[in-house]
């Protein structure tokens, strides 16, 4: 079973997160940040994983700690659930159109952490979500999953569409990468490990 459950409590956030890479239900998300909830549900649906997230954060300050810490815990759970990564595709790439916007995500579950983020948002806030936190979330996700993650908005105008395209594309790229491929013997690396 490729599953993981993690509880993380700091002075800023209390997070409980569970995921299952091989089942699509349940998906329940309650972070206290409506737009983040929406994006995480989309991410789960497009990566076809089960995801349960409950967060109590210091939203009286702002949503920064909540958004970043969810990225940290989600990344740690993905890494744990993947185990030794034997038989997985390892790589994934997806282009997602969202009306006038086209977003791209390409990732490698290499064990090496890196984020390339190429997106500009004209609207600084969507609900209680500061749009600059999009990069913070993906930075935390990439570094804690220990993956290379390249994100780019090729074109677009609407900030909501841009961020949604990135979350959907990342989910779809992750599904491709975590899929077990019977043609792959052992780990998909000449090093013998990822």
């Amino acid at each position: 079973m490729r599953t993981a459950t993690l509880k993380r409590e700091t002075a800023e956030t209390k997070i409980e997160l569970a995921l299952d890479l091989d089942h699509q239900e349940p998906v329940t998300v309650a972070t206290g940040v409506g737009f983040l909830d929406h994006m995480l549900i989309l991410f789960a649906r497009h990566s076809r994983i089960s995801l349960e997230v409950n967060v109590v954060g210091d939203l009286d300050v702002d949503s920064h700690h909540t958004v970043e810490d969810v990225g940290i815990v989600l990344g740690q759970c993905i890494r744990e659930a993947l185990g030794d990564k034997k038989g997985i595709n390892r790589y994934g790439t997806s282009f997602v159109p969202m009306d006038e916007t086209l977003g791209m995500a390409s990732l490698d579950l290499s064990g090496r952490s890196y984020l390339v983020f190429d997106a500009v948002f004209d609207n600084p806030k969507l609900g209680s979500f500061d749009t600059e936190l999009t990069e913070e979330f993906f930075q935390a996700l990439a570094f804690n999953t220990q993956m290379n993650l390249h994100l780019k908005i090729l074109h677009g105008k609407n900030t909501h569409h841009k961020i949604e395209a990135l979350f959907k594309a990342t989910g779809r790229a992750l599904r491709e990468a975590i899929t077990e491929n019977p043609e792959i013997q052992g780990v998909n690396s000449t090093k013998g490990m990822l």
Side-chain angles (χ1 to χ4, degrees):
M1 292 287 291
R2 298 190 303 166
T3 63
T5 302
L6 183 61
K7 293 181 180 180
R8 180 179 190 264
E9 188 167 353
T10 70
E12 298 165 341
T13 60
K14 180 179 179 182
I15 299 175
E16 296 180 1
L17 193 149
L19 61 76
D20 184 333
L21 301 181
D22 298 312
H23 293 91
Q24 298 181 40
E25 294 292 341
V27 174
T28 60
V29 180
T31 67
V33 182
F35 184 77
L36 179 61
D37 292 356
H38 180 42
M39 293 301 104
L40 290 172
I41 291 168
L42 293 170
F43 172 83
R45 294 297 186 204
H46 284 267
S47 58
R48 298 197 299 278
I49 65 172
S50 169
L51 179 64
E52 298 173 88
V53 185
N54 286 293
V55 183
V56 176
D58 58 352
L59 298 179
D60 56 312
V61 176
D62 66 12
S63 58
H64 186 114
H65 300 136
T66 295
V67 174
E68 183 177 33
D69 289 3
V70 168
I72 290 169
V73 176
L74 178 58
Q76 290 172 346
C77 281
I78 292 170
R79 187 176 77 235
E80 180 182 329
L82 284 170
D84 61 14
K85 304 179 190 172
K86 286 184 179 174
I88 65 167
N89 284 324
R90 173 182 170 180
Y91 296 97
T93 298
S94 180
F95 290 83
V96 169
M98 185 72 197
D99 296 343
E100 86 298 342
T101 295
L102 181 61
M104 181 276 296
S106 188
L107 61 86
D108 175 11
L109 296 170
S110 62
R112 297 184 308 276
S113 304
Y114 206 88
L115 174 69
V116 175
F117 188 87
D118 186 0
V120 176
F121 309 125
D122 293 331
N123 189 343
K125 207 166 186 75
L126 295 170
S128 63
F129 181 85
D130 296 314
T131 58
E132 69 180 7
L133 296 178
T134 307
E135 184 171 3
E136 297 294 330
F137 172 85
F138 283 115
Q139 176 86 4
L141 179 67
F143 273 67
N144 286 277
T145 306
Q146 295 181 344
M147 68 175 164
N148 280 214
L149 176 60
H150 293 250
L151 299 173
K152 183 177 180 65
I153 294 296
L154 286 84
H155 50 261
K157 294 179 182 176
N158 183 283
T159 298
H160 186 130
H161 293 167
K162 289 179 180 180
I163 296 173
E164 185 167 334
L166 293 178
F167 271 85
K168 286 179 174 178
T170 302
R172 296 177 70 82
L174 183 67
R175 168 42 55 193
E176 181 182 352
I178 66 176
T179 296
E180 294 175 311
N181 185 336
E183 295 180 359
I184 297 171
Q185 300 298 310
V187 175
N188 194 9
S189 171
T190 55
K191 294 184 174 103
M193 64 177 290
L194 289 171

